[in-house]
Amino acid sequence: MGFQTDSIHAGQKPDPTTGAIMTPIFQTSTYVQESIGVHKGYEYSRTQNPTRQALEANIAALENGKYGVSFASGLAAISALIQMLESGDHVICSDNVYGGTYRVFETVFKKFNVAFSFVDTSDPEKVRTALTPRTKMLFIETPTNPMLILSDLAALAEIARAHGCLSVVDNTFMSPYFQRPLELGIDLVVHSSTKYLNGHSDVVGGIILTRDDELASRLYYIQNAVGAVPGPQDCFLILRATKTLALRMREHEKNALAIARYLEGHPRVEKVYYPGLPAHPQHALAKRQMSGFGGIVSMDLGSLEKARRFAENVRIFALAESLGGVESLVDHPAIMTHASVPREERLRMGLTDGLIRLSVGVEDEEDLIRDVGQALEAM
Ligand code: P1T
């Protein structure tokens, strides 16, 4: 089936008792058994829930995977991936990941003797050099948050496979509409479904997708054993939202490209980061491994003071953490989303105090450009 057909129908069938076309919200913690151990496949909602299963099957289809395992947040999903490892294992991670991913690796999992190397995964040779006999996972974020650096997924999947380690991609920024890492040989895809998958800024959630039977069963085990599961109401909302994912992503991209082009020619903007601009150093790779460029645009305004004035003067864009919703947001990564990354690390990758990240929504293009323009003037 095509992407839009799957987004509307995959994992969902009319409710057998009523014919309800929408999967009901099974707001229940437990299920009545006919006799001891005799039940309909549902025992307890940490273990199985029909609304959650519908969501998992739906997003698995969109990523062209076989299994979905959902969690209460993106970070709970990322934590479940690390919980697959053993004490003593080593993870190679992209060096410009979401600040919360960096923080959970460095401050929580390190204590359990899992080692992390933060490596520039945009260069496959650097990944090869960082491999050790203890390396069991390669964790890639592409494009990265917020510098929009890309990594070559086919090349990295091959390196990981040859070394016998798992490859993981955080696909939050592109959504399966623009990038499907499993098709490029990656073992596991993870999302903060808080972002584009849900798209309406009213749910926090996470999900892991895979084609591999054994990896899926280990993850379902962790989902149940550790218990960071999403509630059925949140699953319902995300399931409703994926029906319009393709429509939303096309609008996000159209607006983001228009804004990136506008900023590129603006004298008050020192640098623009957007993979859809021919000036982006990895534009060719972006065209090769993605079918679009997404809705996030970052720009360097030169100083914290200028960034502050810009953020205070936008009227349609709202100053807030998060991204991927229908409404446009502006973020100051150094003080907001990436404050947990040490300053020298941030500066090394260009994440300066003048950097602003725009999550471009689906409002009217002319209104958004006018808003950005007047905020730059006010700066
Ligand atoms: O917020 P949560 O659902 O737990 O997801 C964490 C996460 C994981 N991966 C990526 C690429 C992310 O961007 C995020 C969350 N990011 C933000 C809240 C933000 O404003 O960047």
Side-chain angles (χ1 to χ4, degrees), residues 304-321:
L304 175 59
E305 204 35 54
K306 287 178 180 169
R308 198 187 298 282
R309 283 206 294 274
F310 176 84
E312 285 172 356
N313 278 289
V314 280
R315 294 174 192 148
I316 299 173
F317 279 82
L319 178 61
E321 300 202 6

Side-chain angles (χ1 to χ4, degrees), residues 59 73-75 78 98-101 145 170-176 190-207 237-238 241-242 245 248-249 252 296 320-327 329 331 337-338 357 359:
I59 300 177
S73 69
L75 278 174
I78 289 168
Y98 167 58
T101 304
N145 179 359
D170 185 330
N171 199 26
T172 299
F173 265 38
M174 280 303 113
S175 92
V190 64
H191 281 275
S192 167
S193 38
T194 317
K195 310 300 185 306
Y196 290 107
L197 290 177
N198 182 58
H200 294 73
S201 306
D202 49 12
V203 171
V204 172
I207 191 160
L237 286 170
I238 304 170
T242 59
L245 181 63
R248 286 185 282 112
M249 293 314 292
H252 281 296
I296 307 294
E321 300 202 6
S322 202
L323 57 100
V326 289
E327 59 287 297
L329 299 181
D331 167 51
T337 48
H338 292 68
R357 184 189 74 191
S359 174

Side-chain angles (χ1 to χ4, degrees), residues 77-351:
I78 289 168
S79 297
L81 291 165
I82 305 302
Q83 286 157 2
M84 295 170 81
L85 303 177
E86 306 282 336
S87 168
D89 286 351
H90 172 240
V91 178
I92 296 176
C93 177
S94 299
D95 64 357
N96 167 219
V97 282
Y98 167 58
T101 304
Y102 177 86
R103 182 177 57 197
V104 72
F105 288 175
E106 279 291 286
T107 66
V108 177
F109 288 111
K110 242 186 179 171
K111 289 191 300 194
F112 296 91
N113 194 30
V114 178
F116 295 89
S117 297
F118 294 90
V119 171
D120 175 8
T121 54
S122 72
D123 181 351
E125 276 320 301
K126 288 189 180 152
V127 173
R128 225 188 285 276
T129 310
L131 289 166
T132 76
R134 289 169 53 198
T135 309
K136 295 291 156 58
M137 185 177 283
L138 172 57
F139 186 99
I140 307 151
E141 192 178 289
T142 181
T144 61
N145 179 359
M147 301 311 299
L148 299 157
I149 300 163
L150 273 63
S151 292
D152 184 333
L153 293 181
L156 294 180
E158 191 50 48
I159 290 172
R161 192 177 312 109
H163 191 73
C165 78
L166 293 172
S167 53
V168 177
V169 169
D170 185 330
N171 199 26
T172 299
F173 265 38
M174 280 303 113
S175 92
Y177 184 65
F178 285 136
Q179 176 169 269
R180 286 184 293 280
L182 300 179
E183 293 176 358
L184 300 172
I186 294 292
D187 297 314
L188 296 147
V189 165
V190 64
H191 281 275
S192 167
S193 38
T194 317
K195 310 300 185 306
Y196 290 107
L197 290 177
N198 182 58
H200 294 73
S201 306
D202 49 12
V203 171
V204 172
I207 191 160
I208 303 171
L209 302 312
T210 185
R211 293 175 168 180
D212 187 288
D213 302 351
E214 195 252 339
L215 292 178
S217 82
R218 282 163 64 192
L219 284 164
Y220 286 127
Y221 184 87
I222 289 168
Q223 183 191 42
N224 179 52
V226 180
V229 292
Q233 169 104 18
D234 286 353
C235 293
F236 173 86
L237 286 170
I238 304 170
L239 195 53
R240 180 168 75 159
T242 59
K243 293 181 195 295
T244 55
L245 181 63
L247 283 64
R248 286 185 282 112
M249 293 314 292
R250 287 199 287 266
E251 286 295 302
H252 281 296
E253 176 180 57
K254 177 183 78 63
N255 285 350
L257 188 58
I259 287 184
R261 286 186 180 137
Y262 172 77
L263 295 173
E264 206 178 23
H266 200 289
R268 297 206 168 170
V269 178
E270 299 209 346
K271 204 157 178 200
V272 183
Y273 302 89
Y274 184 66
L277 292 177
H280 188 283
Q282 294 168 297
H283 183 58
L285 174 62
K287 282 200 290 192
R288 192 165 78 238
Q289 75 180 11
M290 316 191 309
S291 57
F293 309 108
I296 307 294
V297 180
S298 294
M299 62 176 167
D300 201 324
L301 296 178
S303 72
L304 175 59
E305 204 35 54
K306 287 178 180 169
R308 198 187 298 282
R309 283 206 294 274
F310 176 84
E312 285 172 356
N313 278 289
V314 280
R315 294 174 192 148
I316 299 173
F317 279 82
L319 178 61
E321 300 202 6
S322 202
L323 57 100
V326 289
E327 59 287 297
S328 293
L329 299 181
V330 54
D331 167 51
H332 184 267
I335 292 177
M336 295 166 65
T337 48
H338 292 68
S340 56
V341 181
R343 187 174 159 77
E344 6 10 302
E345 278 290 306
R346 290 203 304 263
L347 292 179
R348 199 175 49 73
M349 51 198 164
L351 204 168

